Amino acid sequence: GVFIAYISLFVEFYLKPRGRRGSAGLTGEDANGVPLRRSKRGWMWNQFFLLEEYTGTDLQYVGKLHSDGDRGDGSVKYILTGDGAGTLFKIDEKNGDIHATKRLDREEKAFYLLHAKAINRFTNEALEGESEFIIKIHDINDNEPRFTKDPYIASVPEMSDIGTSVIQVTATDADDATYGNSARVVYSILEGQPYFSVDPETGLIKTALANMDREVKEHYQVVIQAKDMAGQMGGLSGTTTVSITLSDVNDNPPRFTKTLYEFRVNESIELGSTVGVIRAMDADVGENAEMEYRIMSSDGPGMFDITTNRSTQEGVIVLRKPLDFERKRQYSLRIQVENVHINPRFYAKGPFRDDASVKILVEDVDEPPVFEHSSYTMKVREDAPRNKIIGSVNASDPDDKNWTVRYSIDRHTDMDRIFSIHAWNGSVFIQRDLDREEKAWHNITVVAIESNNPRQFSKVPVYIRVLDVNDNAPTFATNYETFVCENAKANQRIQTVSATDPDEPPGGHSFFFSLAQEAAGKANFSVRDNKDNTAWIVTRRNSYNSLQKSVYHVPVVISDGELPVQSSTNTLTIRVCTCDREGNMKLCNAEALTARAGLSTGALVAILLCVIILLMIVVLFAALRRQRKKEPLIISKEDVRDNVVSYNDEGGGEEDTQAFDIGTLRNPEAIEESKQRRDIVPETFYPPVRRPPPAPARDNNGDVRDFINQRLQDNDSDPTAPPYDSLATYAYEGSGSVAESLSSLESATTEGDQDYNYLSEWGPRFKKLADMYGGDDSDRDS
């Protein structure tokens, strides 16, 4: 190696006066005669140089500061400030020596700006003004070149000429490019010869070999070196890898792998199905390998077609017309393939196409019968008789054996079994009556089946049109609501009528209107035919009276113009109505009668609603009364509490003989006979116990006491009595009074005589009583 030594130079500048050193002196006068004085400059320097990456053991010496005011007696103190002062750079404050304390790197910082001054150590007075100086770091070659990328990716078309640019690489060096050759880089190729080369100055990589073929070798790895010091010995270097790919160009034509392709296909294959697939090989890739297939010739024109599968670059042969083994059993095709994108540069390597032969063999298949037509249309009159043949279909077996065919109708298309077909000759006939007005078209399906193989069948649609026959009479087009005003005039039109007919004559409908013969003699209205399929209903008298007749029925005869002629009698109902002067209807029939009676329809409805509401109230009240009567005295069988039953019945007086029978209390035996429970219906009636009447009491209350005791004893022994205490009230008045009765009727039973003659003196109103009681005894006896 070569040892290069760098010397740090230190320069001291001393400005010495012309006179005595250290003193000021006059140097002359200015233009005004003023004497000039020169101030003393003690010291000044420019810059220091320091070598980077110092590896010595001692501190690296930078330089020395010195002032001419320094007498060497230690009174001067040197101070250093600025970049790195005190850390990177230290100064001896007594003698001004500057040293670097650390290893410095120029690539981190190329120079340092510092300030120096000298002061009196004891008084801190400045002996010199502050001065600025620079410490520059002197560069050494300590950085190798570095590439901007690693690796590089590049491509170049195959078959390129020599010198075709591929890619440019770039390396940088962190060393000082202005000093020496430390940053001067030179490129060279370490790997990749003889295919590629590199420009030493620019780093541009070029092809170095002609006609490099991608199909032979596609990828290349090239190693490029960058070396500083202009490539001299001792320089530092760096490397990078460049991956170079040869891109494809269309320099290879497509080629079939075989000259003859053979395919077998059934004759029953469906149209559009794939017959076979062929493929030509092309060494190129991408769009350069795209091919187009075409049929150049064929002995079955239009039978086949070929398409290109863009994803696989295969030729797909498809069927365009039906195959028939019995007619043609083999087809020959000539197929050509050609590149889609051709590079004119490589025409000399052509032609970029290839041909191959294709043979297609048709195989026999047991096929279903084939109809002569794809569909059939038949016509039949709607009055055709049953078993009439309306047409026929024909199908045959296309195979060589030509089996017989049997026909039938798909009953899903003829649910009513209107039609039938002869099983062997295909004649279609009708089985039921037809009606065009009900259904004008019948669409059925006929099935043809091979007699030896029922699984082979085919179907064909048969469309049957029912032809019209004039078998329907015309009728009114709608239900007419016609009225005539009571004040109508004769020959006044009150209604226009039209007709409809479900038949459809070829020339259109023609209707004729007339009044029925039976009503022509005494008709109140007439029918006037307008000859345009309409007619007018016209009045024949001046006025009508709804009280005499509120509704008229006019028989209108409508006939058509077809053969045979069909006619019908239609009744037009005409109501007699009350109208205003303009002929607008106001009231008709029952409404008019009601209006004359003075009641409107709203009033009648209101009256009817009131009657209904009253009936509902009566029915509800009766139902509630009936429900109350059915309620028992004892509501629950579990209720054994003491109960007091109160009967709030009050007598109606002496003349009320229906409310209460007082004779029952006077005759105790009658109570025994009619005694029964009122709260329940007893299941078994016990025979009444007859007891003798109590003896006459000796006092006024004795008979009552005996009566109550007797009834108490009877209730205690009665098995039908309720199982709880109850209060019974007996209105027993006793056997009689000592004063006897005060009634005049009671005296009639005595033998005493009484005089009633005074009754005849009371006037005519008492004549009846006087006749009954006022007569003599002889009269009464008689």
Side-chain angles (χ1 to χ4, degrees):
V2 178
F3 175 77
I4 301 176
Y6 294 88
I7 302 174
S8 177
L9 300 178
F10 170 69
V11 180
E12 294 187 18
F13 295 90
Y14 296 92
L15 298 179
K16 298 181 181 180
R18 293 181 180 178
R20 192 170 51 137
R21 182 179 180 180
S23 62
L26 295 176
T27 58
E29 296 178 354
D30 60 8
N32 298 324
V34 178
L36 299 176
R37 297 181 62 86
R38 181 178 62 86
S39 62
K40 175 184 176 183
R41 291 188 62 187
W43 51 283
M44 192 189 81
W45 60 90
N46 288 338
Q47 58 186 359
F48 296 140
F49 293 93
L50 185 64
L51 189 66
E52 69 169 335
E53 301 295 343
Y54 175 70
T55 58
T57 57
D58 298 332
L59 295 179
Q60 187 177 8
Y61 182 74
V62 178
K64 182 179 180 65
L65 299 181
H66 183 75
S67 173
D68 55 359
D70 187 0
R71 303 297 182 180
D73 54 0
S75 62
V76 178
K77 181 180 179 179
Y78 295 95
I79 299 175
L80 184 66
T81 59
D83 296 339
T87 56
L88 296 179
F89 304 101
K90 289 187 177 180
I91 187 171
D92 190 334
E93 62 180 13
K94 293 182 178 181
N95 57 25
D97 291 335
I98 302 174
H99 293 83
T101 61
K102 296 181 180 179
R103 179 189 298 182
L104 302 179
D105 188 356
R106 190 201 66 84
E107 285 71 35
E108 293 182 3
K109 193 175 180 64
F111 63 91
Y112 297 86
L113 182 63
L114 295 99
H115 299 85
K117 63 181 179 178
I119 62 173
N120 188 289
R121 181 182 301 274
F122 304 107
T123 61
N124 290 329
E125 293 181 358
L127 302 178
E128 303 287 347
E130 186 178 88
S131 298
E132 183 181 83
F133 67 97
I134 296 174
I135 299 178
K136 286 188 175 183
I137 308 302
H138 202 49
D139 183 43
I140 64 173
N141 189 18
D142 59 344
N143 293 279
E144 73 277 3
R146 295 181 180 275
F147 285 95
T148 57
K149 293 181 181 179
D150 189 21
Y152 285 86
I153 306 297
S155 65
V156 63
E158 64 173 333
M159 311 301 291
S160 296
D161 296 332
I162 297 177
T164 301
S165 298
V166 179
I167 192 174
Q168 185 176 13
V169 297
T170 302
T172 58
D173 196 320
D175 294 326
D176 191 359
T178 63
Y179 179 77
N181 294 326
S182 298
R184 185 180 176 185
V185 178
V186 174
Y187 301 95
S188 62
I189 185 168
L190 299 182
E191 296 181 13
Q193 297 94 346
Y195 307 105
F196 302 95
S197 62
V198 63
D199 188 298
E201 298 294 333
T202 62
L204 180 62
I205 300 175
K206 301 178 181 181
T207 58
L209 187 64
N211 298 327
M212 287 188 293
D213 194 352
R214 185 198 66 83
E215 289 74 31
V216 176
K217 185 176 181 180
E218 183 177 4
H219 301 288
Y220 294 86
Q221 295 289 333
V222 178
V223 178
I224 302 297
Q225 182 189 66
K227 190 174 184 180
D228 59 11
M229 298 298 294
Q232 298 177 2
M233 295 293 293
L236 303 179
S237 64
T239 60
T240 187
T241 301
V242 182
S243 296
I244 301 176
T245 300
L246 296 183
S247 58
D248 185 55
V249 297
N250 191 9
D251 57 340
N252 295 280
R255 291 290 181 262
F256 283 111
T257 57
K258 296 188 295 184
T259 58
L260 177 63
Y261 294 85
E262 185 175 304
F263 301 101
R264 294 180 179 273
V265 61
N266 293 331
E267 63 174 336
S268 61
I269 187 173
E270 296 182 358
L271 299 182
S273 300
T274 300
V275 176
V277 177
I278 61 176
R279 182 178 182 182
M281 304 304 296
D282 192 330
D284 297 322
V285 295
E287 68 175 13
N288 297 315
E290 292 182 0
M291 294 172 278
E292 190 72 34
Y293 296 87
R294 63 178 62 91
I295 298 176
M296 303 303 297
S297 63
S298 172
D299 57 359
M303 291 293 299
F304 305 96
D305 193 9
I306 188 168
T307 59
T308 303
N309 187 330
R310 293 302 178 189
S311 60
T312 61
Q313 299 302 319
E314 295 175 333
V316 182
I317 302 174
V318 295
L319 181 66
R320 291 304 180 197
K321 293 183 179 180
L323 297 175
D324 190 350
F325 175 81
E326 288 71 28
R327 288 191 301 175
K328 190 173 180 62
R329 303 185 180 186
Q330 178 178 317
Y331 294 89
S332 296
L333 292 79
R334 189 70 179 171
I335 306 297
Q336 183 183 85
V337 63
E338 184 178 13
N339 277 136
V340 176
H341 307 283
I342 300 177
N343 193 337
R345 177 185 172 193
F346 302 102
Y347 276 152
K349 291 188 176 185
F352 285 82
R353 68 176 66 93
D354 196 12
D355 296 337
S357 298
V358 176
K359 181 183 292 185
I360 300 175
L361 303 177
V362 182
E363 296 182 345
D364 188 23
V365 174
D366 188 9
E367 300 175 89
V370 177
F371 285 94
E372 288 183 352
H373 304 286
S374 59
S375 64
Y376 292 84
T377 302
M378 302 177 184
K379 297 179 181 180
V380 59
R381 288 170 57 92
E382 63 176 324
D383 60 350
R386 296 185 181 184
N387 297 322
K388 179 179 177 57
I389 296 176
I390 62 176
S392 63
V393 298
N394 188 22
S396 60
D397 184 7
D399 298 324
D400 290 340
K401 297 180 181 180
N402 195 17
W403 295 99
T404 57
V405 176
R406 183 167 51 88
Y407 302 94
S408 63
I409 294 179
D410 185 355
R411 289 306 172 186
H412 292 91
T413 61
D414 185 23
M415 301 293 291
D416 297 330
R417 296 183 176 270
I418 300 175
F419 303 95
S420 184
I421 189 171
H422 195 281
W424 302 110
N425 60 20
S427 298
V428 180
F429 56 92
I430 59 176
Q431 294 187 127
R432 295 188 178 184
D433 295 334
L434 300 174
D435 188 357
R436 189 204 65 83
E437 288 71 34
E438 181 179 349
K439 192 171 184 180
W441 283 89
H442 296 268
N443 302 327
I444 64 174
T445 300
V446 175
V447 183
I449 306 173
E450 277 189 14
S451 58
N452 70 311
N453 186 5
R455 292 178 297 178
Q456 294 297 333
F457 64 90
S458 58
K459 297 181 178 181
V460 67
V462 178
Y463 309 109
I464 302 173
R465 179 185 178 186
V466 181
L467 301 178
D468 185 38
V469 174
N470 190 27
D471 57 348
N472 293 278
T475 58
F476 277 146
T478 184
N479 292 326
Y480 294 100
E481 294 183 359
T482 307
F483 70 93
V484 61
C485 294
E486 290 182 327
N487 56 356
K489 304 298 181 181
N491 295 323
Q492 180 179 344
R493 183 184 63 180
I494 61 173
Q495 182 67 58
T496 300
V497 296
S498 61
T500 182
D501 191 339
D503 295 324
E504 292 182 358
H509 291 293
S510 295
F511 300 124
F512 303 95
F513 301 85
S514 63
L515 190 64
Q517 292 294 332
E518 62 271 12
K522 50 181 179 178
N524 293 287
F525 302 91
S526 61
V527 178
R528 184 177 300 173
D529 194 342
N530 298 325
K531 307 302 181 180
D532 59 354
N533 293 338
T534 64
W536 290 351
I537 307 300
V538 181
T539 60
R540 298 187 67 174
R541 55 194 181 94
N542 286 328
S543 62
Y544 298 84
N545 192 339
S546 60
L547 296 178
Q548 295 178 359
K549 191 171 184 178
S550 61
V551 177
Y552 292 89
H553 299 283
V554 180
V556 180
V557 178
I558 308 175
S559 59
D560 56 22
E562 301 299 320
L563 294 178
V565 176
Q566 299 289 339
S567 64
S568 66
T569 301
N570 300 264
T571 301
L572 180 66
T573 301
I574 301 177
R575 295 183 301 163
V576 180
C577 300
T578 302
C579 303
D580 56 15
R581 293 181 178 179
E582 288 75 16
N584 298 320
M585 180 181 64
K586 297 174 62 178
L587 297 173
C588 278
N589 299 340
E591 294 180 357
L593 297 176
T594 306
R596 287 186 174 90
L599 293 177
S600 63
T601 304
L604 290 175
V605 173
I607 293 173
L608 181 60
L609 289 177
C610 292
V611 171
I612 294 174
I613 293 173
L614 289 175
L615 289 176
M616 292 177 62
I617 293 175
V618 171
V619 172
L620 181 61
F621 181 75
L624 292 176
R625 287 290 302 271
R626 186 176 180 182
Q627 184 177 3
R628 286 182 178 178
K629 290 181 179 180
K630 292 183 179 180
E631 291 181 358
L633 294 176
I634 303 176
I635 304 301
S636 173
K637 294 182 180 180
E638 302 293 334
D639 191 0
V640 294
R641 299 172 297 176
D642 293 345
N643 289 276
V644 177
V645 181
S646 176
Y647 302 96
N648 296 322
D649 295 336
E650 296 183 2
E654 291 183 355
E655 297 182 0
D656 186 6
T657 60
Q658 301 294 333
F660 191 84
D661 188 5
I662 195 65
T664 303
L665 293 179
R666 295 182 179 277
N667 187 7
E669 295 181 359
I671 299 177
E672 298 293 339
E673 295 177 357
S674 61
K675 176 181 176 183
Q676 56 182 352
R677 292 283 300 274
R678 292 193 300 168
D679 55 345
I680 61 174
V681 177
E683 297 181 358
T684 304
F685 292 95
Y686 291 89
V689 180
R690 296 185 179 274
R691 300 181 183 274
R698 290 173 294 179
D699 53 4
N700 294 338
N701 298 327
D703 57 343
V704 176
R705 184 181 301 106
D706 295 339
F707 176 80
I708 293 176
N709 291 333
Q710 183 65 40
R711 293 298 175 265
L712 179 60
Q713 182 179 358
D714 293 342
N715 283 328
D716 292 340
S717 60
D718 187 3
T720 63
Y724 47 81
D725 294 341
S726 61
L727 177 63
T729 302
Y730 304 100
Y732 178 65
E733 297 181 355
S735 58
S737 174
V738 266
E740 297 184 352
S741 176
L742 301 179
S743 174
S744 60
L745 299 178
E746 185 74 16
S747 62
T749 60
T750 64
E751 296 296 333
D753 294 332
Q754 294 190 19
D755 185 9
Y756 294 101
N757 292 328
Y758 62 89
L759 293 176
S760 59
E761 299 177 357
W762 286 4
R765 290 184 295 177
F766 295 94
K767 183 177 182 303
K768 186 67 174 177
L769 290 178
D771 293 341
M772 294 176 60
Y773 297 98
D776 297 334
D777 294 339
S778 59
D779 297 335
R780 289 196 296 270
D781 295 338
S782 60

